[in-house]
Structures are given as structure tokens and as C-alpha cells.
Amino acid sequence: MSVGAYDIRVINDLVERESAFVERLMTEVHKVIVGQDEMIERVFMGLLCHGHVLLEGAPGLAKTLTVSTLARCLHMEFKRVQFTPDLLPSDVLGTVIYNHQTGSFTNRKGPVFTNLLLADEINRAPAKVQSALLEAMAERQVTIGDTSYPLPKPFLVLATQNPIEQEGTYTLPEAQLDRFMFKIKVGYPTAEQELQIMQRIGGAPTAAKIEVQPVIGPDDIAKVQQTMDRMIVEQPVQKYIVDVVAATRTPGAVGLEKLAPFIDFGASPRATIALFQAARAHAFMRHRGYVSPEDIKAVAPDILRHRIILSYEAEAEGKTVEEVVRAILEHVQVP
């Protein structure tokens, strides 16, 4: 499918207008958060793509603060649930309450009924709680008693997990990890950024008290999502997305026979869809109405790192998922 120059120009102009808020949004978030540009961008991209985000990083890297600040800038409701081993599904989803005075039952909605839900340390809750939340993520609705309630729009789950502390945790199974659109590895700030953090927040009671202005709201997000549906992803670029994901299953097809023993399972078709959507969001954030292979390369590591299962041989040789994805992106032919 080829697209005329006029169509590209029209879509570009539309995207340029609709994405004008991006810099203002980042400016407001950075009143509170120092650095962490990629984490902020990916969380917002997840919101645009109806995709949930898993944040992995050591404690104290502003994961919770980033989500709460973004919620204030987007004029959305934000709730946080601290996942613990004694948490029950009803603590997240809601429950049925019996009223002794009236002799009737009423449904009480849980914290999942919000726009942005932070599932803090999701791997500390048992599998029953994880499954209940992930079902809500997939179905966008929750059943309490005999009644099903739709979740607010937009709805985004941001889950965190600590990679360095495994005692007392319940590892998310691969099938559940696949439900997350992005897996973001949150790193430490640079020395300059850490100095700014100390100077800005060191003497303040809490960073959450720093004033930020709402930039856009839920209705604006819905409009942006409609604009993204009109963005141009030409046929060769679509094939490139499919080829990248297929190479995680059969690396020999792109000349990476040596990589095959290191991969037990490649990414599912859900990864193809996620890569397509994320590439559009990446282009939108850069005020472009069309997707290029560079957009795909930029988001592929965050889309694929939790969807590729490495073999014991890979672990024995110290191979990482990041190295596998990098090799695939270097060898798959770019249109």
C-alpha cells in the first residue's frame, strides 16, 4: 500500500497539531522528576496505546513519584496498591458487603476503579491476586458478586518489581508478563541528575507537594488515540515489524544460526501488535504522522525483553535478552 505525498502531508499536519502538548507535558513532569525521560515517555506511550507497563528497578528511583506526577499532569485519577503476601483479590477489585440494618448486600468497588493504578511490588502478592488484576487488565471490567462493572477510560496499570530482592516474592509467569505492553528497566540517575535531585527535593517535605499544572485530560487522550489510528504505517514497515518478531522465534532465518540455541521461546503475536502500536506512539511523540524503522528499533527492546525466554545455555554463557534483541535488530533487513 503506497501513500501519496498529499496524504502524508495532511496526516503530518494533523499529528503536529495534536502532539503540540508533548513538550509542555514533559516540562510539567520535570518540575518534579529529574531525568528518567525514557520511563516517563514509555508510561505515557502505554496510556496512548491502551497498554500496561511493568517498571523494574531498585527502590528509590522515583517510580511511584513519576506515576503520581504524570497523573496530576494528565488530570486523571491515581491510586496505589502496595502488594503484600497477605493481599486478597477483593482488596484490589472490590467485594460484596452485607448490611445488617437493611439485610441487603451492596457491592463496594476496589482501588482498581481508577485511571492510573500503581501495583507496587506486584511480585510480592500470591498468584491468585496477580491473576485477578491481570484479568481486569485484559477484560477492562471487574465482576463483583453478580454484577460486572466496566473500568474507567482510560485505564492503565503500572506495576513495579524489585529485581534485586527475590525472597518472599512470587515470580510473574511468562503468560502474565506477556500481558504487559512494556517492560521498562529503570536505571540510576547520573551524578549531575542526582545533584539536582538533592538540591530540589532534599529540603522539601515531599516532592508530591511541588505544584504542577494539568496539561491534558481523558477526553484529549481519546482524541489523540483517534489521531494515531490515522497515522501512516506503510507496507514495508509493517513487514519489518513482523520480521523482527519472527526472528525471535527463528533467528536462523536472518542469518543468526548461532543465536538459536540461546532462545527457548520467541515472542508471541501479541508482541507484533504491541510493537506496531508502540512505534506509532513513538512517532507521535516526535510530531510525525508516519512510522519509520527507527521508531521500531527504539521501542523494540522494551516490547520484547519480557517476551523472549532464554535457554539454560544462554544463562550459562551470560547472554542477556538485550543482547539477543540487539543482534536481531542488527540483522533483520531494514526497508
Side-chain angles (χ1 to χ4, degrees):
M1 179 184 70
S2 62
V3 181
Y6 173 76
D7 295 326
I8 293 177
R9 196 160 55 244
V10 169
I11 299 298
N12 257 334
D13 290 343
L14 175 63
V15 169
E16 200 167 331
R17 289 195 305 272
E18 294 293 332
S19 63
F21 68 88
V22 170
E23 280 71 24
R24 286 189 292 119
L25 176 64
M26 298 298 283
T27 298
E28 288 298 318
V29 174
H30 281 309
K31 287 181 180 178
V32 180
I33 306 299
V34 177
Q36 302 293 9
D37 287 1
E38 186 169 304
M39 174 172 61
I40 297 166
E41 183 179 274
R42 296 297 190 266
V43 169
F44 184 63
M45 285 167 57
L47 188 65
L48 294 181
C49 299
H50 306 283
H52 308 288
V53 181
L54 179 62
L55 303 171
E56 183 177 276
L61 295 179
K63 299 185 293 293
T64 302
L65 185 60
T66 297
V67 178
S68 62
T69 302
L70 191 61
R72 287 192 287 157
C73 293
L74 296 175
H75 204 61
M76 292 180 184
E77 188 178 9
F78 163 73
K79 290 180 183 175
R80 174 180 178 270
V81 177
Q82 182 65 49
F83 277 54
T84 56
D86 60 347
L87 199 70
L88 298 173
S90 58
D91 295 328
V92 180
L93 305 181
T95 188
V96 178
I97 304 294
Y98 178 69
N99 189 322
H100 289 279
Q101 294 179 336
T102 62
S104 61
F105 292 91
T106 56
N107 293 339
R108 177 179 293 175
K109 295 180 179 179
V112 73
F113 289 90
T114 187
N115 295 124
L116 297 178
L117 177 70
L118 180 65
D120 219 354
E121 296 188 282
I122 190 172
N123 55 334
R124 289 206 171 278
K128 195 171 184 179
V129 180
Q130 293 178 9
S131 297
L133 176 62
L134 291 165
E135 183 182 359
M137 291 162 55
E139 303 298 330
R140 294 298 203 281
Q141 68 174 24
V142 170
T143 301
I144 305 173
D146 297 328
T147 308
S148 293
Y149 298 95
L151 291 170
K153 293 181 180 180
F155 171 69
L156 179 68
V157 171
L158 297 116
T160 70
Q161 62 181 18
N162 181 352
I164 60 175
E165 191 178 358
Q166 298 303 321
E167 188 175 344
T169 62
Y170 303 82
T171 304
L172 282 168
E174 281 74 15
Q176 293 184 349
L177 281 172
D178 198 34
R179 293 286 181 184
F180 288 95
M181 183 173 192
F182 292 108
K183 181 181 178 183
I184 312 300
K185 288 201 168 182
V186 185
Y188 288 103
T190 64
E192 292 79 5
Q193 290 171 343
E194 198 155 359
L195 180 62
Q196 289 182 51
I197 294 169
M198 182 182 67
Q199 292 171 343
R200 182 182 301 181
I201 299 173
T206 170
K209 298 296 183 184
I210 298 174
E211 287 291 328
V212 295
Q213 298 300 317
V215 176
I216 58 172
D219 292 340
D220 302 304
I221 293 292
K223 190 177 179 183
V224 167
Q225 289 167 340
Q226 292 174 0
T227 299
M228 284 175 51
D229 288 339
R230 298 181 59 187
M231 291 177 65
I232 297 165
V233 189
E234 297 205 78
Q235 199 72 31
V237 178
Q238 293 182 28
K239 185 177 183 303
Y240 179 59
I241 293 171
V242 173
D243 289 346
V244 166
V245 176
T248 68
R249 306 167 200 151
T250 53
V254 293
L256 288 171
E257 289 82 2
K258 292 182 179 179
L259 210 60
F262 299 140
I263 302 174
D264 271 350
F265 296 96
S268 73
R270 189 179 282 132
T272 309
I273 297 167
L275 192 52
F276 175 83
Q277 294 173 333
R280 290 193 309 179
H282 189 268
F284 178 88
M285 297 282 284
R286 281 144 188 82
H287 314 294
R288 276 190 283 106
Y290 62 92
V291 173
S292 74
E294 294 308 312
D295 294 311
I296 296 156
K297 288 183 177 182
V299 298
D302 297 325
I303 296 291
L304 298 174
R305 68 161 47 95
H306 56 300
R307 293 182 161 101
I308 298 173
I309 302 175
L310 298 184
S311 64
Y312 287 114
E313 187 175 343
E315 292 180 20
E317 296 198 17
K319 292 287 183 182
T320 64
V321 174
E322 281 75 16
E323 290 173 344
V324 170
V325 174
R326 194 182 309 120
I328 287 172
L329 292 174
E330 286 174 356
H331 282 75
V332 173
Q333 186 174 356
V334 179

